[in-house]
Amino acid sequence: MSNSNSGSTAPEAPEAPEAPEAPETADVIGTARERIDALDGRILDLVRERMAVSAAIQEARIAAGGRRVQLSREMEILDRYRQRLGKPGTTLAMTLLELCRGRV
C-alpha cells in the first residue's frame, strides 16, 4: 500500500527538470539586484541633489523675508506623487519633503 504513495512522489518529478533553471534564475535575480542597487544609488544621489536645491530655495525665500516652507507648493508635490504612484506616493513625497525641510 505504500506503493500507492508513489503518486505523492509524482509532484517531485517536475521539480527535477526545474533544477537546471536554478542557475539561470539566480543569474536573472543577481543581475536584477545589481540593477536595483545601481538605481538606488542614483535615487539617493538625486535625493541629496533635491535637498541641496531645496535648501537654496529656502535660503532665498528667508533672505527675501518670506517663510521657509510654502505649503501650497508642498501640496502640489504631494498631489503629483499621489497621482503617479497612488497612496504610497503620498508617503514617499512626505518623506522627501521632510528630508528637504529645515536644512537652512
Side-chain angles (χ1 to χ4, degrees):
M1 300 245 164
S2 60
N3 287 344
S4 65
N5 288 339
S6 65
S8 65
T9 58
E12 292 176 14
E15 291 179 16
E18 292 178 9
E21 295 179 5
E24 291 175 10
T25 301
D27 289 344
V28 168
I29 291 170
T31 300
R33 285 183 176 163
E34 288 174 9
R35 183 155 185 234
I36 285 173
D37 291 345
L39 290 167
D40 284 345
R42 289 171 47 197
I43 290 167
L44 291 168
D45 289 343
L46 289 169
V47 169
R48 294 184 86 159
E49 182 179 347
R50 188 189 194 290
M51 291 169 67
V53 171
S54 181
I57 291 169
Q58 291 174 49
E59 288 172 3
R61 191 178 296 122
I62 291 168
R67 298 180 55 176
R68 179 177 51 86
V69 175
Q70 187 179 17
L71 296 178
S72 62
R73 173 69 176 145
E74 288 193 355
M75 294 305 294
E76 290 174 15
I77 293 165
L78 289 168
D79 189 52
R80 180 181 322 127
Y81 276 73
R82 183 191 53 74
Q83 286 180 14
R84 298 280 304 269
L85 301 173
K87 186 176 179 180
T90 303
T91 303
L92 177 59
M94 286 297 295
T95 301
L96 284 171
L97 292 170
E98 183 180 342
L99 283 168
C100 294
R101 277 190 218 124
R103 301 292 181 194
V104 177

